[in-house]
C-alpha cells in the first residue's frame, strides 16, 4: 500500500487579494487614505478635549492598541483652545469633530489638525459656510470628512424620503460634496452611517458607485461591545470584501481601546492588516477534560501586548487539538488535566494544566529570541 503523506504543507494556502475600489488618495497627516493605501483604523476619544493630559493619555493607549488616526470632539471654545496642545503632543494624526458651530472648523485648521470632520445635518446653514471652509482647508492642505449620520440627517431629506434610507444618506453626502467641488476642493472623505448594518451596507454600495472619494466605514451607535462588534464585523466584512472602504471605526459603547482592537481584528481576519495575536480555541463540548474557556481567557490576557505576531492554538481535546496546534506558531492540546505544548508543529513538552500559560510564554520568548537573533544577524551582514 502506498504511504499517504499527512505532513504539513510547505506553503500556506494562498489568499486571493481583494481588489480595492479605485479612489483618489488624500493624506490625514502622515497617514495616506484611499488610492490603494492600507485600510486605516480610527477611534474617537471620550475625554473632554479641554482636559489635555487626559486626552493625550487616551490617545497614547489607543495608539498602542493599533490606532492610526484619532478623532477628538470640539463642542466648546475651551476644547478648541486645547487643540494646539493636543495636536503637538499626539503620536498619531488628530481629526477635529465639529458639530453645530462652523467657527470651530477654522480653529481646528489653525491648530494644525490633520483633518476635520463636519456633519452637515446639524450645522445651521452649513451650505452657506462651504466657500470659506473650502478656502481655509485648501490653504492648510487639510482634508475634510463629510459625515452623514442617520440620527442627524438633514430635515429636508428626512421629509423627502420619510426616513434615513440609503438613498437619503447618499443624496446628502453627494450634495455636500458637490458644494465643495464648486469651489475646487476635492480633498474629501465621505462617511454614510446607520445603526442597521444592512442599511449601512446598501448606502455605501450606492455611494461607491457615484463617486471616487475615499470612504470611511462605520455602523454608528452599534451598541455594547459584543453586539456592536458583531454588527460592525458583518457590515465591514461585506463591504471590505467587495473592495469598498478605506478607513474604519468600530463604534462600540466601550473603551476606545476596545474599539481599536475590534477594528484591527476585523482587518486582520480579512487579510487587510498583519495579524498580531490570534487565538485559535475550541468552543467546548462534552469531551473536555480542562477548563478551556478559562484557559483561553488566561492565554489571551497573558499575551496581550506581546510585541511579535503569533497564532496560538488553545485546544481542549484530542479530536482537533493536535492538528490545530501543529498549524499554529504555538499550541496546546489538552486532555486529562494536562497539555501537550507545540512549537512550530512539534511537541516540545507536556505540562499540567496549571503550567500551560507559563509554558506557552516560555516557548513564545524562545521562538521570538531566535527570530530577533536572525534579524540582528541580517542587519550586521548588510552593515546596518
Amino acid at each position: 500500500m502506498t504511504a499517504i503523506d499527512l505532513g504539513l504543507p510547505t506553503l500556506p494556502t494562498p489568499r486571493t487579494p481583494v481588489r480595492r475600489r479605485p479612489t483618489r488618495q488624500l493624506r490625514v497627516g502622515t497617514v495616506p487614505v484611499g488610492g490603494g493605501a492600507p485600510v486605516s483604523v480610527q477611534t474617537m476619544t471620550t475625554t473632554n478635549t479641554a482636559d489635555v493630559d487626559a486626552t493625550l493619555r487616551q490617545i497614547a493607549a489607543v495608539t498602542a492598541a493599533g490606532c492610526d488616526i484619532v478623532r477628538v470632539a470640539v463642542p466648546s471654545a475651551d476644547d478648541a483652545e486645547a487643540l494646539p496642545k493636543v495636536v503637538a503632543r499626539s503620536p498619531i494624526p488628530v481629526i477635529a469633530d465639529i458639530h453645530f458651530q462652523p467657527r470651530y472648523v477654522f480653529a481646528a485648521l489653525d491648530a494644525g489638525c490633520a483633518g476635520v470632520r463636519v456633519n452637515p445635518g446639524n450645522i445651521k446653514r452649513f451650505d452657506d459656510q462651504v466657500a470659506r471652509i473650502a478656502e481655509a482647508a485648501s490653504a492648510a492642505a487639510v482634508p475634510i470628512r463629510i459625515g452623514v449620520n442617520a440620527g442627524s440627517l438633514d430635515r429636508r431629506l428626512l421629509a423627502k424620503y420619510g426616513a434615513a434610507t440609503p438613498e437619503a444618506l447618499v443624496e446628502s453626502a453627494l450634495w455636500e460634496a458637490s458644494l465643495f467641488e464648486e469651489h475646487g476642493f476635492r480633498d474629501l472623505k465621505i462617511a454614510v452611517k446607520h445603526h442597521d448594518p444592512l442599511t449601512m451596507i446598501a448606502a455605501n454600495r450606492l455611494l461607491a458607485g457615484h463617486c471616487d472619494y475615499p470612504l470611511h466605514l462605520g455602523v454608528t451607535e452599534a451598541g455594547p461591545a459584543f453586539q456592536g462588534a458583531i454588527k460592525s464585523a458583518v457590515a465591514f466584512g461585506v463591504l471590505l470584501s467587495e473592495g469598498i472602504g478605506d478607513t474604519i471605526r468600530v463604534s462600540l459603547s466601550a473603551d476606545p481601546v476596545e474599539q481599536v482592537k475590534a477594528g484591527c481584528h476585523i482587518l486582520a481576519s480579512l487579510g487587510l492588516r498583519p495579524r498580531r495575536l490570534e487565538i485559535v480555541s475550541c468552543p467546548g463540548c462534552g469531551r473536555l477534560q480542562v477548563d478551556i474557556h478559562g484557559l483561553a481567557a488566561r492565554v489571551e490576557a497573558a499575551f496581550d501586548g506581546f510585541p511579535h505576531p503569533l497564532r496560538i492554538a488553545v485546544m481542549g481535546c484530542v479530536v482537533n487539538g493536535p492538528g490545530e496546534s501543529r498549524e499554529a506558531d504555538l499550541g496546546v492540546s489538552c486532555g486529562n488535566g494536562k497539555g501537550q505544548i507545540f512549537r512550530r508543529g512539534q511537541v516540545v513538552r507536556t505540562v499540567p494544566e496549571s503550567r500551560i500559560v507559563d509554558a506557552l510564554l516560555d516557548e513564545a520568548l524562545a521562538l521570538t529570541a531566535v527570530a530577533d537573533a536572525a534579524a540582528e544577524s541580517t542587519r550586521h551582514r548588510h552593515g546596518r
Side-chain angles (χ1 to χ4, degrees):
M1 181 181 293
T2 304
I4 299 174
D5 183 6
L6 296 178
L8 296 178
T10 56
L11 293 173
T13 302
R15 287 184 175 182
T16 302
V18 173
R19 179 175 292 181
R20 301 278 299 284
R21 163 181 167 263
T23 74
R24 62 181 63 237
Q25 187 174 96
L26 52 81
R27 296 193 73 85
V28 180
T30 57
V31 178
V33 175
V39 179
S40 55
V41 174
Q42 297 189 26
T43 191
M44 189 171 181
T45 56
T46 58
T47 58
N48 291 326
T49 305
D51 188 341
V52 174
D53 289 341
T55 300
L56 287 168
R57 283 195 296 271
Q58 197 167 77
I59 291 175
V62 300
T63 302
C67 189
D68 301 300
I69 300 169
V70 68
R71 189 155 37 109
V72 300
V74 189
S76 72
D78 289 342
D79 298 311
E81 290 173 6
L83 283 175
K85 295 178 182 177
V86 172
V87 169
R89 294 166 57 189
S90 173
I92 56 177
V94 175
I95 293 178
D97 192 72
I98 310 297
H99 297 264
F100 305 114
Q101 296 291 345
R103 70 177 184 273
Y104 295 146
V105 172
F106 306 104
L109 295 172
D110 290 341
C113 288
V116 176
R117 183 272 178 122
V118 294
N119 185 340
N122 59 24
I123 294 181
K124 190 175 182 180
R125 294 188 296 275
F126 177 80
D127 295 357
D128 299 335
Q129 309 287 331
V130 170
R132 292 180 59 226
I133 292 173
E135 181 181 4
S138 181
V142 170
I144 299 289
R145 171 153 80 87
I146 297 172
V148 179
N149 279 13
S152 52
L153 186 64
D154 190 302
R155 291 182 179 180
R156 294 168 294 184
L157 290 167
L158 278 176
K160 176 179 177 179
Y161 288 94
T165 63
E167 293 78 11
L169 296 170
V170 170
E171 182 172 330
S172 175
L174 292 177
W175 166 252
E176 303 303 339
S178 73
L179 296 180
F180 280 96
E181 291 166 358
E182 286 180 3
H183 300 284
F185 188 84
R186 292 178 176 271
D187 280 344
L188 299 173
K189 180 173 52 173
I190 301 180
V192 287
K193 295 186 177 183
H194 198 284
H195 67 269
D196 174 56
L198 295 179
T199 303
M200 178 269 196
I201 290 169
N204 278 277
R205 282 174 169 164
L206 184 61
L207 180 59
H210 282 81
C211 71
D212 67 349
Y213 292 116
L215 302 186
H216 171 76
L217 303 184
V219 178
T220 191
E221 290 92 41
F226 180 75
Q227 171 186 293
I230 290 174
K231 289 168 69 174
S232 298
V234 167
F236 296 174
V238 169
L239 291 169
L240 290 169
S241 68
E242 296 175 1
I244 298 172
D246 302 283
T247 177
I248 65 171
R249 181 200 176 188
V250 182
S251 299
L252 309 177
S253 298
D255 190 298
V257 168
E258 297 307 310
Q259 298 180 20
V260 172
K261 287 181 178 178
C264 291
H265 277 297
I266 290 170
L267 293 183
S269 70
L270 293 166
L272 294 171
R273 175 170 285 222
R275 62 184 172 90
R276 299 175 79 177
L277 175 65
E278 180 183 356
I279 304 291
V280 177
S281 59
C282 59
C285 69
R287 294 187 298 268
L288 289 179
Q289 295 177 323
V290 295
D291 174 16
I292 195 66
H293 298 158
L295 178 59
R298 291 194 300 275
V299 171
E300 184 176 34
F303 281 87
D304 186 34
F306 196 76
H308 296 272
L310 288 173
R311 179 182 287 115
I312 303 176
V314 182
M315 303 299 295
C317 80
V318 297
V319 174
N320 293 319
E324 292 286 1
S325 296
R326 288 192 188 97
E327 290 287 343
D329 297 306
L330 297 171
V332 57
S333 179
C334 299
N336 198 27
K338 299 177 182 179
Q340 278 190 321
I341 305 298
F342 289 74
R343 188 173 82 186
R344 291 283 165 84
Q346 302 297 321
V347 176
V348 292
R349 52 177 152 156
T350 300
V351 298
E353 183 178 354
S354 62
R355 286 281 304 152
I356 287 173
V357 176
D358 289 338
L360 289 171
L361 281 169
D362 289 344
E363 296 302 329
L365 292 173
L367 194 64
T368 55
V370 172
D372 288 342
E376 183 66 21
S377 175
T378 300
R379 283 194 292 271
H380 280 302
R381 285 201 306 271
H382 290 86
R384 296 175 183 172

